[in-house]
C-alpha cells in the first residue's frame, strides 16, 4: 500500500525534471534545428504518455494540455513544440475514434472515414476506456518522429522538379533545408546561387561556404543589393520559421523585403517547409507582441557606439510576416502546394478543438 502511495510523486517529479531539462536545452540552443526540436518534443510527449497515470483518452488529453502551458510559454520556445503537442492530441482523438468505431486494417479508407465522421457527429466524450490506446498512440508517435527526421531529405528529393539548368537562385540567410535542396539540385542541374547576408546572426556566410565547397557557383551579397540584383534572378528559394494558418510566413527579419522585390520583378518566390512547421495559428496587426519579439540592438549597432545608442531607439525584430499573396509555392515533404491550399493539410494534421492549448 505504501509502495502505491509513493509512485505518483516519483512519476510527477520525473516529468517535471524532463520538462525542465528540455526547456534548458532550448534556451541554451543545445537543440539547434527545427526537426531535432520536433523529434525531442515527440520523445518528451511519449515519455509523459508512458509514465503518467491515466485511464481514458480524456484524462490523457488533459495531462498533455496541462503541461503544454509550461512547454510553449517561454519566448525562446520554437513554434514546432506547440505543433507537435497539437499533432499528438489529434493522434489521441483519431485513435480513440477508430477504436470506438471498430475500424481495422481490412476496412477501406472510405468506410473508415465515414465511421470517423459519424463518431464526430455523435460528439465523443473520450471517457470510454480503451485498452490498446497507449500502444497505438506510441506507434503513431514513432511514425511521426520518422517523418520529422526524414523531412529535409524528402524535400530535397523534389529539387530536380523545381530547379532547371542555368538558373540563378536567390536565398536568404542560412537554412539547412535550403542547403540540402540546392545541393540535391546541383547534382543534376548546373545552377548559380546568390545568398543574401541579412545579418551576422543569420549565418549566410556558412551557407555560401558550404555551397561553394559543394562546387556550386555562389555569390554573397548584402541586403541593400536585393532589389538591383533581383532582375537577374530566376527563382527565390527560402526556408521559414513556420507557416501560419492562412499560408503566410513567420520568417526571419528581412524575408518580407525579399518577397516584395521578387513580386515586383515577377520572380517566383518558393518556400521550403516540412509539414511540422505548419501551424494553425494566425497573425493579426494587433497581436505583434504575440507574433514577434525583439533581439538585442548589438546586432545592428556595436556597443562601442554607446554615445549614439543614447540618442536613438534601436528596434531589432526577430521575425517578418510575409502575406500569402507574396508567396508563389510552398514545398512540403509530401509535395508542393499553393498558400491558399494549406487549409487542407491543416485539417488533416490538427483538430480545431486543440487550436488553443
Amino acid at each position: 500500500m505504501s509502495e502505491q502511495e509513493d509512485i505518483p510523486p516519483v512519476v510527477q517529479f520525473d516529468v517535471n525534471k524532463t520538462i525542465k531539462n528540455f526547456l534548458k536545452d532550448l534556451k541554451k540552443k543545445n537543440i539547434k534545428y527545427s526537426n531535432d526540436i520536433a523529434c525531442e518534443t515527440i520523445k518528451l510527449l511519449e515519455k509523459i504518455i508512458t509514465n503518467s497515470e491515466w485511464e481514458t483518452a480524456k484524462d490523457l488529453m488533459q495531462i498533455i494540455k496541462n503541461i503544454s502551458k509550461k512547454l510553449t510559454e517561454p519566448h525562446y520556445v520554437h513554434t514546432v513544440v506547440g505543433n507537435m503537442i497539437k499533432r499528438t492530441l489529434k493522434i489521441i482523438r483519431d485513435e480513440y475514434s477508430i477504436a470506438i468505431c471498430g475500424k481495422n486494417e481490412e476496412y477501406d479508407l472510405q468506410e473508415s472515414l465515414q465511421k470517423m465522421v459519424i463518431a464526430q457527429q455523435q460528439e465523443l466524450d473520450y471517457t470510454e476506456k480503451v485498452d490498446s490506446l497507449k500502444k497505438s498512440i506510441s506507434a503513431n508517435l514513432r511514425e511521426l518522429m520518422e517523418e520529422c527526421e526524414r523531412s529535409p531529405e524528402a524535400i530535397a528529393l523534389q529539387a530536380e522538379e523545381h530547379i532547371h539548368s542555368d538558373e540563378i537562385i536567390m536565398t536568404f540567410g542560412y537554412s539547412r533545408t535550403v542547403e540540402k535542396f540546392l545541393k540535391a539540385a546541383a547534382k543534376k542541374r548546373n545552377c548559380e546561387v546568390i545568398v543574401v547576408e541579412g545579418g551576422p546572426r543569420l549565418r549566410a556566410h556558412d551557407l555560401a561556404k558550404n555551397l561553394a565547397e559543394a562546387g556550386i557557383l555562389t555569390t554573397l551579397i548584402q541586403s541593400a543589393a536585393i532589389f538591383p540584383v533581383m532582375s537577374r534572378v530566376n527563382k527565390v528559394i527560402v526556408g521559414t520559421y513556420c507557416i501560419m494558418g492562412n499560408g503566410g510566413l513567420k520568417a526571419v527579419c528581412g524575408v518580407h523585403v525579399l518577397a516584395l522585390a521578387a513580386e515586383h520583378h515577377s520572380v517566383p518566390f518558393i518556400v521550403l517547409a516540412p509539414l511540422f512547421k505548419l501551424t494553425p495559428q494566425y497573425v493579426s496587426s494587433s497581436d505583434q507582441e504575440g507574433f514577434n519579439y525583439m533581439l538585442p540592438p548589438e546586432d545592428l549597432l556595436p556597443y562601442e557606439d554607446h554615445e549614439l545608442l543614447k540618442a536613438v531607439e534601436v528596434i531589432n525584430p526577430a521575425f517578418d510576416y510575409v502575406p500569402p499573396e507574396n508567396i508563389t509555392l510552398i514545398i512540403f515533404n509530401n509535395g508542393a502546394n499553393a498558400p491558399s491550399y494549406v487549409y487542407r493539410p491543416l485539417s488533416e494534421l490538427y483538430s480545431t478543438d486543440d487550436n488553443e492549448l
Side-chain angles (χ1 to χ4, degrees), residues 86 89-90 93 126 280 346-347 349-355:
K86 292 169 186 173
L89 290 170
K90 180 68 162 58
R93 292 179 186 278
Y126 302 98
L346 272 176
S347 63
L349 298 176
Y350 305 108
S351 168
T352 54
D353 295 331
D354 303 322
N355 285 352

Side-chain angles (χ1 to χ4, degrees), residues 269-325:
F269 187 86
I270 299 173
V271 181
L272 308 182
L275 276 172
F276 60 75
K277 286 191 176 184
L278 180 60
T279 178
Q281 296 176 343
Y282 288 81
V283 63
S284 66
S285 57
S286 61
D287 188 31
Q288 281 301 310
E289 290 186 3
F291 173 79
N292 219 333
Y293 67 90
M294 296 300 162
L295 296 169
E298 64 175 328
D299 291 346
L300 304 177
L301 290 174
Y303 283 124
E304 289 77 10
D305 298 333
H306 62 276
E307 293 298 329
L308 179 60
L309 287 171
K310 291 178 182 178
V312 298
E313 181 183 359
V314 181
I315 299 174
N316 186 16
F319 302 112
D320 265 353
Y321 171 65
V322 183
E325 53 266 24

Side-chain angles (χ1 to χ4, degrees), residues 49-85:
I49 291 169
T50 303
N51 296 323
S52 299
E53 292 186 352
W54 54 274
E55 292 188 356
T56 66
K58 186 177 180 180
D59 297 337
L60 178 58
M61 287 191 289
Q62 191 58 51
I63 290 171
I64 292 175
K65 285 183 178 181
N66 289 341
I67 65 102
S68 68
K69 295 175 183 177
K70 297 179 183 177
L71 286 172
T72 58
E73 276 183 359
H75 77 276
Y76 54 81
V77 173
H78 201 294
T79 310
V80 164
V81 175
N83 292 346
M84 292 301 97
I85 293 171

Side-chain angles (χ1 to χ4, degrees), residues 325-353:
E325 53 266 24
N326 297 142
I327 303 164
T328 308
L329 195 67
I330 301 173
I331 301 178
F332 294 113
N333 41 292
N334 64 346
N337 289 300
S340 58
Y341 193 72
V342 298
Y343 74 91
R344 184 61 185 268
L346 272 176
S347 63
E348 295 173 356
L349 298 176
Y350 305 108
S351 168
T352 54
D353 295 331

Side-chain angles (χ1 to χ4, degrees), residues 126-302:
Y126 302 98
T127 56
E128 188 172 334
K129 189 174 180 180
V130 179
D131 294 333
S132 61
L133 191 58
K134 183 179 287 190
K135 186 178 179 181
S136 59
I137 291 171
S138 295
N140 276 270
L141 287 177
R142 283 191 289 272
E143 288 179 13
L144 178 58
M145 192 184 303
E146 289 176 9
E147 177 192 323
C148 294
E149 288 172 347
R150 295 196 307 261
S151 55
E153 288 74 20
I155 292 173
L157 289 173
Q158 304 173 59
E160 194 177 345
E161 303 172 21
H162 299 281
I163 296 180
H164 308 293
S165 294
D166 301 319
E167 282 192 331
I168 298 176
I169 310 299
M170 183 179 281
T171 187
F172 189 92
Y174 179 84
S175 167
R176 191 168 61 158
T177 304
V178 171
E179 180 184 340
K180 290 185 178 183
F181 190 84
L182 294 174
K183 284 181 177 179
K187 291 178 181 178
K188 300 290 181 69
R189 310 281 194 230
N190 182 28
C191 61
E192 179 183 346
V193 179
I194 298 172
V195 182
V196 181
E197 188 175 12
R201 67 181 181 84
L202 297 181
R203 299 175 54 209
H205 291 79
D206 293 343
L207 178 61
K209 178 177 177 288
N210 295 344
L211 293 178
E213 289 176 349
I216 303 171
L217 181 59
T218 308
T219 306
L220 185 69
I221 65 171
Q222 293 183 340
S223 300
I226 288 175
F227 197 83
V229 173
M230 187 63 74
S231 59
R232 297 180 53 237
V233 173
N234 299 107
K235 287 185 178 75
V236 175
I237 299 177
V238 298
T240 185
Y241 185 81
C242 73
I243 299 177
M244 312 302 288
N246 63 341
L249 303 184
K250 184 177 183 178
V252 292
C253 192
V255 172
H256 189 204
V257 173
L258 186 65
L260 291 173
E263 185 180 34
H264 180 84
H265 288 277
S266 299
V267 175
F269 187 86
I270 299 173
V271 181
L272 308 182
L275 276 172
F276 60 75
K277 286 191 176 184
L278 180 60
T279 178
Q281 296 176 343
Y282 288 81
V283 63
S284 66
S285 57
S286 61
D287 188 31
Q288 281 301 310
E289 290 186 3
F291 173 79
N292 219 333
Y293 67 90
M294 296 300 162
L295 296 169
E298 64 175 328
D299 291 346
L300 304 177
L301 290 174

